[in-house]
Amino acid sequence: MSGISVRNLVKRWGSVCAVDDVSFETGSCEFVALLGPSGCGKSTTLRLIAGLEQATSGTVSIAGRDVTSLPSSQRNLSMVFQSYALFPHMTVAENIVFGLSVRGTPKAERQQRLRKIVDLLGLSALLDRRPSQLSGGQQQRVALGRALIAETPVCLLDEPLSNLDAKLRAEMRNEIRTLQRRLRIAMVFVTHDQTEAMSMADRIILMREGRVEQSGTPTELYEEPVSTFAARFIGTPPMNILDLSPSDAGFVVGGIAQAPPDGLPPGRYQLGVRPEHIRFSDRGVPARVESIEYFGADTITACQVGNQRLLVRTPGRAPCAADDTVFLSWPESAQHFFDEGSGLRCTGREGAKAPS
Amino acid sequence: MKASRNALYGGLLLLPAAVLLWTFTYQPILGTIVDSLFSTARGKRPAVFVGLDQYQRMIDDPVFWKAMGNNLVYALTTIPLSMALALMMALLVNSHLRGQAAVRMAYFTPTILPMVAVANIWLFFYAPDYGLVDRFLQIFGWGGQNLLGMPDTALGALIVITIWKEAGFFMIFYLAALQQISPTLLEAAGLEGASYWQTLRRVILPLLMPTTLFISINAVIGAFRLVDHVVVMTKGAPDNATTLLLFYIYQTGFGYWDTGYAAALTVVLLLILALIALFQFGYVDKKVHYR
Ligand SMILES: Nc1ncnc2c1ncn2[C@@H]1O[C@H](COP(=O)(O)OP(=O)(O)OP(=O)(O)O)[C@@H](O)[C@H]1O
Ligand SMILES: [Mg+2]
């Protein structure tokens, strides 16, 4: 096992429990995204792995070695900080080789590795500049260079793209992913942007209030969210969650019965349907169109079903106008049922369970 | 029309400051330079133009050279030592130790006291036989010395007081600068494997350079300006061992009322300070600002 292994990690500040019993493992060249809303403990988890914060309890192992009590310098990892943390008084070249030079790497080797990393990141023309003379994207690349030149098996990144504009962010996403594949290292990437996590990660660890809500591949998180929280967090726009009213005919939305999974015990449930799985059709659930947002490639239509709101995503232009009455339908396979009390996913046959 | 009116308003707004500067800074400087070219008026003899005679006299004046030498020693010891001490205290106080508020207060106290009060307190400390310093020296068998009264130790005794007083003041600047350094930078340095000393030398000290420059300017000015303790404690004695340049000017001007010579000495002091400031702002300043 050469990746990171985190077991029962807890971090408390007085009564605040920032990280609450978090466990996960990563492969040796896996790209893992730590995803979650603001304040859920992503940064704290990352800092605990890096050794910048002391764990209250639990262990962190890297490449099979327990590093819980080691200082960050001895954990054999590198990190890209959200603010980049470049040394303002050093040139780009000095910044990148800082780690090598304090660790006493011979000058010739330093130069050789610098040249390699600089070519990789396209920084050759900027070596003599100071960080203040660089653009945000260039600074970001320098920070990445400083982390990657150490050639550590693990690289941690704390929201490295959050200071960049949308276009540059998309470019850097690709670049980072390509680098990670080429260097065959493990990367743990903190983000609160689900698009970023979905598009880059091999695996997503979704956090909520200091706990791991769901951990799995982007496909798993998208197709089988374990809870309404996960369902609402993934996807743009996120999954529609509708309250179901129980009746003789089973579960009803807008007067139309919905087929529940086999063997779902009676109780209060919620129905989840992704906006892109809903179609306008001749019959189905009657709805009133509230507003239409046109994006070019697709359109997002907000509809009112009974007293609940529901978003529909259709390719191209919407076939309706505001205040129209339309009928909505979706395939049975696109339905997700959640327990109304706990918010957990219900699959019917075994009752509520998380997908393994 | 509009432009000239703006110029008028601008000029009016500047006027109060300009008047103050002129009356209390530039006019006295010019006056001093003019005075230094005249002899001192005595009794019925009015001041007459003597050209550079006062400066010629200075070159032949052993006390002037003694004062210059003293001041050089005084500056070269108090400036680096008080700055180094200030930096050490700031680093110590900035680390997250318990009771750091009390320590900060203790370090800063000497700065709040006026120099005259400090000098009087230290007169007691330095008193032979029963003073604090002498008591301490008695432990090593070096007691019974009048440190302020001996030519070899008098200047050193004053230097100690100055360092004691100035270090706390400079510490405040260093402390403020240290707290401006982003903790993430230090975390990054640590993560890259830098030891405390490497971080200090390669990250913290370079980032403190603008502050160091600022403090050094203050320290240089202080080294030529602070003479209260000389007046209170030694009056230049013994044998001019503690005569600093400004004290000599004071003595010449207001002790012997030789105002012409005092003016010439003042011009020399101004020249020295101007040259140092020029070097610091013109040359060093370009090297220490990164942004
Ligand atoms: N030094 C600290 N002392 C006390 N509480 C802290 C400290 N650092 C973080 N916290 C708390 O721990 C929780 C998790 O913080 P953390 O920085 O890990 O959030 P995050 O998921 O990174 O959020 P964001 O996306 O906003 O960066 C927050 O509630 C925060 O207030
Ligand atoms: Mg964070």
Side-chain angles (χ1 to χ4, degrees), chain A residues 47 72-73 79 81 85-90 99 101-103 132 146, chain B residues 184-185 187-194 198 202-203 206-207 290-291:
Chain A
R47 291 170 59 82
S72 58
S73 57
M79 182 160 170
F81 293 84
L86 297 175
F87 303 117
H89 58 290
M90 295 184 194
S101 85
V102 295
R103 288 184 200 268
S132 57
R146 189 175 65 185
Chain B
T184 326
L185 279 186
E187 283 176 354
L191 200 121
E192 293 290 329
Q198 282 171 324
R202 304 192 48 171
V203 180
L207 291 178
Y290 308 115
R291 277 161 234 273

PDB file of all heavy atoms in Angstrom, chain A residues 47 72-73 79 81 85-90 99 101-103 132 146, chain B residues 184-185 187-194 198 202-203 206-207 290-291:
ATOM      1  N   ARG A  47      -4.566  19.408   6.142  1.00  0.00           N
ATOM      2  CA  ARG A  47      -3.483  19.882   7.002  1.00  0.00           C
ATOM      3  C   ARG A  47      -3.069  18.817   8.009  1.00  0.00           C
ATOM      4  O   ARG A  47      -1.912  18.774   8.424  1.00  0.00           O
ATOM      5  CB  ARG A  47      -3.894  21.170   7.708  1.00  0.00           C
ATOM      6  CG  ARG A  47      -4.029  22.363   6.745  1.00  0.00           C
ATOM      7  CD  ARG A  47      -4.661  23.563   7.406  1.00  0.00           C
ATOM      8  NE  ARG A  47      -3.887  24.015   8.548  1.00  0.00           N
ATOM      9  CZ  ARG A  47      -2.822  24.791   8.450  1.00  0.00           C
ATOM     10  NH1 ARG A  47      -2.438  25.229   7.286  1.00  0.00           N
ATOM     11  NH2 ARG A  47      -2.152  25.143   9.528  1.00  0.00           N
ATOM     12  N   SER A  72       5.909  17.866   9.510  1.00  0.00           N
ATOM     13  CA  SER A  72       5.570  17.859   8.084  1.00  0.00           C
ATOM     14  C   SER A  72       6.789  17.615   7.191  1.00  0.00           C
ATOM     15  O   SER A  72       6.674  17.004   6.137  1.00  0.00           O
ATOM     16  CB  SER A  72       4.891  19.170   7.709  1.00  0.00           C
ATOM     17  OG  SER A  72       5.730  20.253   8.024  1.00  0.00           O
ATOM     18  N   SER A  73       7.959  18.082   7.655  1.00  0.00           N
ATOM     19  CA  SER A  73       9.144  17.964   6.803  1.00  0.00           C
ATOM     20  C   SER A  73       9.563  16.504   6.611  1.00  0.00           C
ATOM     21  O   SER A  73      10.252  16.179   5.661  1.00  0.00           O
ATOM     22  CB  SER A  73      10.299  18.755   7.406  1.00  0.00           C
ATOM     23  OG  SER A  73      10.559  18.293   8.707  1.00  0.00           O
ATOM     24  N   MET A  79       3.119  20.100  -0.927  1.00  0.00           N
ATOM     25  CA  MET A  79       1.799  20.713  -0.819  1.00  0.00           C
ATOM     26  C   MET A  79       1.747  22.014  -1.614  1.00  0.00           C
ATOM     27  O   MET A  79       2.711  22.766  -1.666  1.00  0.00           O
ATOM     28  CB  MET A  79       1.497  20.990   0.659  1.00  0.00           C
ATOM     29  CG  MET A  79       0.138  21.576   0.904  1.00  0.00           C
ATOM     30  SD  MET A  79      -0.359  21.316   2.614  1.00  0.00           S
ATOM     31  CE  MET A  79      -1.818  22.339   2.679  1.00  0.00           C
ATOM     32  N   PHE A  81      -0.366  25.408  -1.546  1.00  0.00           N
ATOM     33  CA  PHE A  81      -1.287  26.124  -0.670  1.00  0.00           C
ATOM     34  C   PHE A  81      -2.284  26.936  -1.488  1.00  0.00           C
ATOM     35  O   PHE A  81      -1.995  27.328  -2.617  1.00  0.00           O
ATOM     36  CB  PHE A  81      -0.512  27.050   0.261  1.00  0.00           C
ATOM     37  CG  PHE A  81       0.338  26.320   1.252  1.00  0.00           C
ATOM     38  CD1 PHE A  81       1.594  25.874   0.918  1.00  0.00           C
ATOM     39  CD2 PHE A  81      -0.139  26.057   2.526  1.00  0.00           C
ATOM     40  CE1 PHE A  81       2.374  25.191   1.835  1.00  0.00           C
ATOM     41  CE2 PHE A  81       0.626  25.379   3.446  1.00  0.00           C
ATOM     42  CZ  PHE A  81       1.897  24.939   3.104  1.00  0.00           C
ATOM     43  N   ALA A  85       1.580  30.637  -1.251  1.00  0.00           N
ATOM     44  CA  ALA A  85       2.679  30.757  -0.299  1.00  0.00           C
ATOM     45  C   ALA A  85       4.035  30.794  -0.979  1.00  0.00           C
ATOM     46  O   ALA A  85       4.971  30.128  -0.561  1.00  0.00           O
ATOM     47  CB  ALA A  85       2.616  29.617   0.729  1.00  0.00           C
ATOM     48  N   LEU A  86       4.162  31.587  -2.036  1.00  0.00           N
ATOM     49  CA  LEU A  86       5.471  31.769  -2.666  1.00  0.00           C
ATOM     50  C   LEU A  86       6.261  32.783  -1.844  1.00  0.00           C
ATOM     51  O   LEU A  86       5.689  33.714  -1.289  1.00  0.00           O
ATOM     52  CB  LEU A  86       5.306  32.272  -4.098  1.00  0.00           C
ATOM     53  CG  LEU A  86       4.580  31.314  -5.034  1.00  0.00           C
ATOM     54  CD1 LEU A  86       4.372  31.962  -6.391  1.00  0.00           C
ATOM     55  CD2 LEU A  86       5.343  30.013  -5.174  1.00  0.00           C
ATOM     56  N   PHE A  87       7.581  32.595  -1.782  1.00  0.00           N
ATOM     57  CA  PHE A  87       8.414  33.528  -1.032  1.00  0.00           C
ATOM     58  C   PHE A  87       8.595  34.796  -1.867  1.00  0.00           C
ATOM     59  O   PHE A  87       9.182  34.750  -2.939  1.00  0.00           O
ATOM     60  CB  PHE A  87       9.759  32.895  -0.698  1.00  0.00           C
ATOM     61  CG  PHE A  87       9.610  31.615   0.084  1.00  0.00           C
ATOM     62  CD1 PHE A  87      10.053  30.414  -0.439  1.00  0.00           C
ATOM     63  CD2 PHE A  87       8.998  31.616   1.325  1.00  0.00           C
ATOM     64  CE1 PHE A  87       9.898  29.236   0.268  1.00  0.00           C
ATOM     65  CE2 PHE A  87       8.833  30.444   2.036  1.00  0.00           C
ATOM     66  CZ  PHE A  87       9.276  29.250   1.514  1.00  0.00           C
ATOM     67  N   PRO A  88       8.095  35.946  -1.383  1.00  0.00           N
ATOM     68  CA  PRO A  88       8.064  37.145  -2.226  1.00  0.00           C
ATOM     69  C   PRO A  88       9.451  37.688  -2.557  1.00  0.00           C
ATOM     70  O   PRO A  88       9.611  38.380  -3.545  1.00  0.00           O
ATOM     71  CB  PRO A  88       7.267  38.152  -1.396  1.00  0.00           C
ATOM     72  CG  PRO A  88       7.323  37.648  -0.004  1.00  0.00           C
ATOM     73  CD  PRO A  88       7.465  36.174  -0.078  1.00  0.00           C
ATOM     74  N   HIS A  89      10.443  37.359  -1.717  1.00  0.00           N
ATOM     75  CA  HIS A  89      11.765  37.946  -1.953  1.00  0.00           C
ATOM     76  C   HIS A  89      12.638  37.067  -2.828  1.00  0.00           C
ATOM     77  O   HIS A  89      13.781  37.406  -3.097  1.00  0.00           O
ATOM     78  CB  HIS A  89      12.456  38.185  -0.611  1.00  0.00           C
ATOM     79  CG  HIS A  89      12.599  36.930   0.204  1.00  0.00           C
ATOM     80  ND1 HIS A  89      11.516  36.313   0.782  1.00  0.00           N
ATOM     81  CD2 HIS A  89      13.667  36.184   0.504  1.00  0.00           C
ATOM     82  CE1 HIS A  89      11.936  35.239   1.430  1.00  0.00           C
ATOM     83  NE2 HIS A  89      13.225  35.131   1.269  1.00  0.00           N
ATOM     84  N   MET A  90      12.126  35.922  -3.257  1.00  0.00           N
ATOM     85  CA  MET A  90      12.937  35.026  -4.080  1.00  0.00           C
ATOM     86  C   MET A  90      12.421  35.038  -5.514  1.00  0.00           C
ATOM     87  O   MET A  90      11.239  35.264  -5.765  1.00  0.00           O
ATOM     88  CB  MET A  90      12.841  33.598  -3.551  1.00  0.00           C
ATOM     89  CG  MET A  90      13.429  33.410  -2.179  1.00  0.00           C
ATOM     90  SD  MET A  90      13.342  31.669  -1.741  1.00  0.00           S
ATOM     91  CE  MET A  90      13.665  31.782   0.000  1.00  0.00           C
ATOM     92  N   GLY A  99      13.237  23.933  -1.548  1.00  0.00           N
ATOM     93  CA  GLY A  99      13.246  22.679  -0.784  1.00  0.00           C
ATOM     94  C   GLY A  99      14.518  21.880  -1.022  1.00  0.00           C
ATOM     95  O   GLY A  99      15.131  21.357  -0.088  1.00  0.00           O
ATOM     96  N   SER A 101      17.420  23.017  -1.956  1.00  0.00           N
ATOM     97  CA  SER A 101      18.618  23.667  -1.430  1.00  0.00           C
ATOM     98  C   SER A 101      18.684  23.571   0.093  1.00  0.00           C
ATOM     99  O   SER A 101      19.756  23.394   0.641  1.00  0.00           O
ATOM    100  CB  SER A 101      18.734  25.101  -1.940  1.00  0.00           C
ATOM    101  OG  SER A 101      17.988  25.972  -1.145  1.00  0.00           O
ATOM    102  N   VAL A 102      17.533  23.674   0.786  1.00  0.00           N
ATOM    103  CA  VAL A 102      17.635  23.530   2.250  1.00  0.00           C
ATOM    104  C   VAL A 102      17.909  22.081   2.645  1.00  0.00           C
ATOM    105  O   VAL A 102      18.441  21.811   3.717  1.00  0.00           O
ATOM    106  CB  VAL A 102      16.382  24.025   3.018  1.00  0.00           C
ATOM    107  CG1 VAL A 102      16.206  25.506   2.854  1.00  0.00           C
ATOM    108  CG2 VAL A 102      15.131  23.284   2.619  1.00  0.00           C
ATOM    109  N   ARG A 103      17.581  21.155   1.770  1.00  0.00           N
ATOM    110  CA  ARG A 103      17.880  19.758   2.083  1.00  0.00           C
ATOM    111  C   ARG A 103      19.272  19.362   1.605  1.00  0.00           C
ATOM    112  O   ARG A 103      19.662  18.199   1.699  1.00  0.00           O
ATOM    113  CB  ARG A 103      16.832  18.838   1.460  1.00  0.00           C
ATOM    114  CG  ARG A 103      15.472  18.902   2.167  1.00  0.00           C
ATOM    115  CD  ARG A 103      14.511  17.904   1.573  1.00  0.00           C
ATOM    116  NE  ARG A 103      13.116  18.221   1.860  1.00  0.00           N
ATOM    117  CZ  ARG A 103      12.445  17.741   2.908  1.00  0.00           C
ATOM    118  NH1 ARG A 103      13.050  16.948   3.757  1.00  0.00           N
ATOM    119  NH2 ARG A 103      11.189  18.066   3.091  1.00  0.00           N
ATOM    120  N   SER A 132       5.673  38.676  -7.384  1.00  0.00           N
ATOM    121  CA  SER A 132       4.778  39.819  -7.583  1.00  0.00           C
ATOM    122  C   SER A 132       4.716  40.242  -9.051  1.00  0.00           C
ATOM    123  O   SER A 132       3.846  41.004  -9.430  1.00  0.00           O
ATOM    124  CB  SER A 132       5.246  40.998  -6.735  1.00  0.00           C
ATOM    125  OG  SER A 132       6.572  41.326  -7.055  1.00  0.00           O
ATOM    126  N   ARG A 146       7.215  24.044  -7.272  1.00  0.00           N
ATOM    127  CA  ARG A 146       7.909  23.873  -6.005  1.00  0.00           C
ATOM    128  C   ARG A 146       7.487  22.566  -5.337  1.00  0.00           C
ATOM    129  O   ARG A 146       8.280  21.899  -4.682  1.00  0.00           O
ATOM    130  CB  ARG A 146       7.611  25.062  -5.084  1.00  0.00           C
ATOM    131  CG  ARG A 146       8.458  25.057  -3.836  1.00  0.00           C
ATOM    132  CD  ARG A 146       8.232  26.291  -3.003  1.00  0.00           C
ATOM    133  NE  ARG A 146       6.864  26.350  -2.481  1.00  0.00           N
ATOM    134  CZ  ARG A 146       6.383  27.368  -1.803  1.00  0.00           C
ATOM    135  NH1 ARG A 146       7.126  28.421  -1.580  1.00  0.00           N
ATOM    136  NH2 ARG A 146       5.142  27.352  -1.360  1.00  0.00           N
TER     137      ARG A 146
ATOM    138  N   THR B 184       1.430  30.963   6.589  1.00  0.00           N
ATOM    139  CA  THR B 184       1.493  29.965   5.514  1.00  0.00           C
ATOM    140  C   THR B 184       2.898  29.894   4.914  1.00  0.00           C
ATOM    141  O   THR B 184       3.363  28.819   4.558  1.00  0.00           O
ATOM    142  CB  THR B 184       0.500  30.319   4.397  1.00  0.00           C
ATOM    143  OG1 THR B 184      -0.633  30.927   4.980  1.00  0.00           O
ATOM    144  CG2 THR B 184       0.101  29.108   3.630  1.00  0.00           C
ATOM    145  N   LEU B 185       3.566  31.054   4.822  1.00  0.00           N
ATOM    146  CA  LEU B 185       4.925  31.055   4.286  1.00  0.00           C
ATOM    147  C   LEU B 185       5.840  30.222   5.166  1.00  0.00           C
ATOM    148  O   LEU B 185       6.666  29.457   4.678  1.00  0.00           O
ATOM    149  CB  LEU B 185       5.472  32.485   4.225  1.00  0.00           C
ATOM    150  CG  LEU B 185       5.051  33.350   3.048  1.00  0.00           C
ATOM    151  CD1 LEU B 185       5.795  34.669   3.089  1.00  0.00           C
ATOM    152  CD2 LEU B 185       5.335  32.623   1.753  1.00  0.00           C
ATOM    153  N   GLU B 187       4.866  27.840   7.199  1.00  0.00           N
ATOM    154  CA  GLU B 187       4.458  26.442   7.051  1.00  0.00           C
ATOM    155  C   GLU B 187       5.058  25.842   5.793  1.00  0.00           C
ATOM    156  O   GLU B 187       5.539  24.714   5.791  1.00  0.00           O
ATOM    157  CB  GLU B 187       2.929  26.352   6.984  1.00  0.00           C
ATOM    158  CG  GLU B 187       2.253  26.494   8.326  1.00  0.00           C
ATOM    159  CD  GLU B 187       0.733  26.504   8.221  1.00  0.00           C
ATOM    160  OE1 GLU B 187       0.196  26.521   7.094  1.00  0.00           O
ATOM    161  OE2 GLU B 187       0.084  26.510   9.270  1.00  0.00           O
ATOM    162  N   ALA B 188       5.024  26.632   4.711  1.00  0.00           N
ATOM    163  CA  ALA B 188       5.578  26.144   3.450  1.00  0.00           C
ATOM    164  C   ALA B 188       7.067  25.863   3.606  1.00  0.00           C
ATOM    165  O   ALA B 188       7.565  24.820   3.163  1.00  0.00           O
ATOM    166  CB  ALA B 188       5.346  27.165   2.343  1.00  0.00           C
ATOM    167  N   ALA B 189       7.778  26.775   4.273  1.00  0.00           N
ATOM    168  CA  ALA B 189       9.215  26.572   4.477  1.00  0.00           C
ATOM    169  C   ALA B 189       9.462  25.303   5.287  1.00  0.00           C
ATOM    170  O   ALA B 189      10.337  24.499   4.963  1.00  0.00           O
ATOM    171  CB  ALA B 189       9.823  27.783   5.178  1.00  0.00           C
ATOM    172  N   GLY B 190       8.669  25.111   6.340  1.00  0.00           N
ATOM    173  CA  GLY B 190       8.816  23.914   7.171  1.00  0.00           C
ATOM    174  C   GLY B 190       8.539  22.651   6.384  1.00  0.00           C
ATOM    175  O   GLY B 190       9.275  21.672   6.473  1.00  0.00           O
ATOM    176  N   LEU B 191       7.486  22.702   5.591  1.00  0.00           N
ATOM    177  CA  LEU B 191       7.109  21.531   4.803  1.00  0.00           C
ATOM    178  C   LEU B 191       8.189  21.187   3.776  1.00  0.00           C
ATOM    179  O   LEU B 191       8.409  20.027   3.460  1.00  0.00           O
ATOM    180  CB  LEU B 191       5.792  21.833   4.089  1.00  0.00           C
ATOM    181  CG  LEU B 191       5.011  20.622   3.627  1.00  0.00           C
ATOM    182  CD1 LEU B 191       3.641  20.636   4.275  1.00  0.00           C
ATOM    183  CD2 LEU B 191       4.849  20.601   2.129  1.00  0.00           C
ATOM    184  N   GLU B 192       8.860  22.217   3.270  1.00  0.00           N
ATOM    185  CA  GLU B 192       9.930  21.980   2.299  1.00  0.00           C
ATOM    186  C   GLU B 192      11.190  21.447   2.972  1.00  0.00           C
ATOM    187  O   GLU B 192      12.173  21.165   2.299  1.00  0.00           O
ATOM    188  CB  GLU B 192      10.254  23.274   1.545  1.00  0.00           C
ATOM    189  CG  GLU B 192       9.155  23.773   0.636  1.00  0.00           C
ATOM    190  CD  GLU B 192       8.962  22.897  -0.587  1.00  0.00           C
ATOM    191  OE1 GLU B 192       9.944  22.304  -1.052  1.00  0.00           O
ATOM    192  OE2 GLU B 192       7.816  22.773  -1.052  1.00  0.00           O
ATOM    193  N   GLY B 193      11.163  21.388   4.297  1.00  0.00           N
ATOM    194  CA  GLY B 193      12.288  20.773   4.999  1.00  0.00           C
ATOM    195  C   GLY B 193      13.251  21.746   5.636  1.00  0.00           C
ATOM    196  O   GLY B 193      14.303  21.348   6.121  1.00  0.00           O
ATOM    197  N   ALA B 194      12.923  23.039   5.645  1.00  0.00           N
ATOM    198  CA  ALA B 194      13.836  24.019   6.239  1.00  0.00           C
ATOM    199  C   ALA B 194      13.788  23.929   7.764  1.00  0.00           C
ATOM    200  O   ALA B 194      12.713  23.823   8.344  1.00  0.00           O
ATOM    201  CB  ALA B 194      13.464  25.422   5.779  1.00  0.00           C
ATOM    202  N   GLN B 198      17.311  27.815   9.133  1.00  0.00           N
ATOM    203  CA  GLN B 198      17.210  28.067   7.693  1.00  0.00           C
ATOM    204  C   GLN B 198      16.027  28.971   7.382  1.00  0.00           C
ATOM    205  O   GLN B 198      16.125  29.885   6.568  1.00  0.00           O
ATOM    206  CB  GLN B 198      17.076  26.738   6.937  1.00  0.00           C
ATOM    207  CG  GLN B 198      18.399  26.006   6.798  1.00  0.00           C
ATOM    208  CD  GLN B 198      18.210  24.604   6.240  1.00  0.00           C
ATOM    209  OE1 GLN B 198      17.227  23.940   6.546  1.00  0.00           O
ATOM    210  NE2 GLN B 198      19.149  24.168   5.432  1.00  0.00           N
ATOM    211  N   ARG B 202      16.691  32.462   5.643  1.00  0.00           N
ATOM    212  CA  ARG B 202      16.333  32.550   4.228  1.00  0.00           C
ATOM    213  C   ARG B 202      14.937  33.107   3.984  1.00  0.00           C
ATOM    214  O   ARG B 202      14.632  33.528   2.882  1.00  0.00           O
ATOM    215  CB  ARG B 202      16.466  31.169   3.586  1.00  0.00           C
ATOM    216  CG  ARG B 202      17.871  30.640   3.795  1.00  0.00           C
ATOM    217  CD  ARG B 202      18.155  29.456   2.986  1.00  0.00           C
ATOM    218  NE  ARG B 202      17.771  29.591   1.609  1.00  0.00           N
ATOM    219  CZ  ARG B 202      18.098  28.718   0.683  1.00  0.00           C
ATOM    220  NH1 ARG B 202      18.824  27.674   1.008  1.00  0.00           N
ATOM    221  NH2 ARG B 202      17.703  28.878  -0.548  1.00  0.00           N
ATOM    222  N   VAL B 203      14.089  33.082   5.014  1.00  0.00           N
ATOM    223  CA  VAL B 203      12.730  33.604   4.804  1.00  0.00           C
ATOM    224  C   VAL B 203      12.445  34.805   5.714  1.00  0.00           C
ATOM    225  O   VAL B 203      12.116  35.890   5.248  1.00  0.00           O
ATOM    226  CB  VAL B 203      11.676  32.499   5.032  1.00  0.00           C
ATOM    227  CG1 VAL B 203      10.285  33.064   4.800  1.00  0.00           C
ATOM    228  CG2 VAL B 203      11.938  31.326   4.110  1.00  0.00           C
ATOM    229  N   PRO B 206      15.080  38.065   5.403  1.00  0.00           N
ATOM    230  CA  PRO B 206      14.864  38.861   4.182  1.00  0.00           C
ATOM    231  C   PRO B 206      13.534  39.599   4.186  1.00  0.00           C
ATOM    232  O   PRO B 206      13.460  40.749   3.745  1.00  0.00           O
ATOM    233  CB  PRO B 206      14.882  37.815   3.060  1.00  0.00           C
ATOM    234  CG  PRO B 206      15.615  36.663   3.612  1.00  0.00           C
ATOM    235  CD  PRO B 206      15.371  36.660   5.088  1.00  0.00           C
ATOM    236  N   LEU B 207      12.502  38.967   4.733  1.00  0.00           N
ATOM    237  CA  LEU B 207      11.199  39.639   4.752  1.00  0.00           C
ATOM    238  C   LEU B 207      11.180  40.786   5.759  1.00  0.00           C
ATOM    239  O   LEU B 207      10.353  41.681   5.678  1.00  0.00           O
ATOM    240  CB  LEU B 207      10.086  38.633   5.064  1.00  0.00           C
ATOM    241  CG  LEU B 207       9.806  37.617   3.964  1.00  0.00           C
ATOM    242  CD1 LEU B 207       8.737  36.640   4.390  1.00  0.00           C
ATOM    243  CD2 LEU B 207       9.401  38.315   2.678  1.00  0.00           C
ATOM    244  N   TYR B 290      10.586  44.334  -1.916  1.00  0.00           N
ATOM    245  CA  TYR B 290      10.369  43.282  -2.901  1.00  0.00           C
ATOM    246  C   TYR B 290       9.122  43.519  -3.719  1.00  0.00           C
ATOM    247  O   TYR B 290       8.921  42.906  -4.732  1.00  0.00           O
ATOM    248  CB  TYR B 290      10.280  41.932  -2.210  1.00  0.00           C
ATOM    249  CG  TYR B 290      11.450  41.711  -1.300  1.00  0.00           C
ATOM    250  CD1 TYR B 290      11.274  41.610   0.066  1.00  0.00           C
ATOM    251  CD2 TYR B 290      12.733  41.648  -1.828  1.00  0.00           C
ATOM    252  CE1 TYR B 290      12.354  41.434   0.892  1.00  0.00           C
ATOM    253  CE2 TYR B 290      13.811  41.479  -1.006  1.00  0.00           C
ATOM    254  CZ  TYR B 290      13.624  41.372   0.357  1.00  0.00           C
ATOM    255  OH  TYR B 290      14.683  41.208   1.166  1.00  0.00           O
ATOM    256  N   ARG B 291       8.234  44.316  -3.213  1.00  0.00           N
ATOM    257  CA  ARG B 291       6.961  44.409  -3.894  1.00  0.00           C
ATOM    258  C   ARG B 291       6.930  45.521  -4.910  1.00  0.00           C
ATOM    259  O   ARG B 291       7.658  46.466  -4.800  1.00  0.00           O
ATOM    260  CB  ARG B 291       5.847  44.625  -2.864  1.00  0.00           C
ATOM    261  CG  ARG B 291       5.430  43.309  -2.276  1.00  0.00           C
ATOM    262  CD  ARG B 291       4.707  43.529  -0.965  1.00  0.00           C
ATOM    263  NE  ARG B 291       5.327  42.759   0.089  1.00  0.00           N
ATOM    264  CZ  ARG B 291       5.019  41.513   0.366  1.00  0.00           C
ATOM    265  NH1 ARG B 291       4.141  40.881  -0.334  1.00  0.00           N
ATOM    266  NH2 ARG B 291       5.624  40.871   1.333  1.00  0.00           N
TER     267      ARG B 291
END
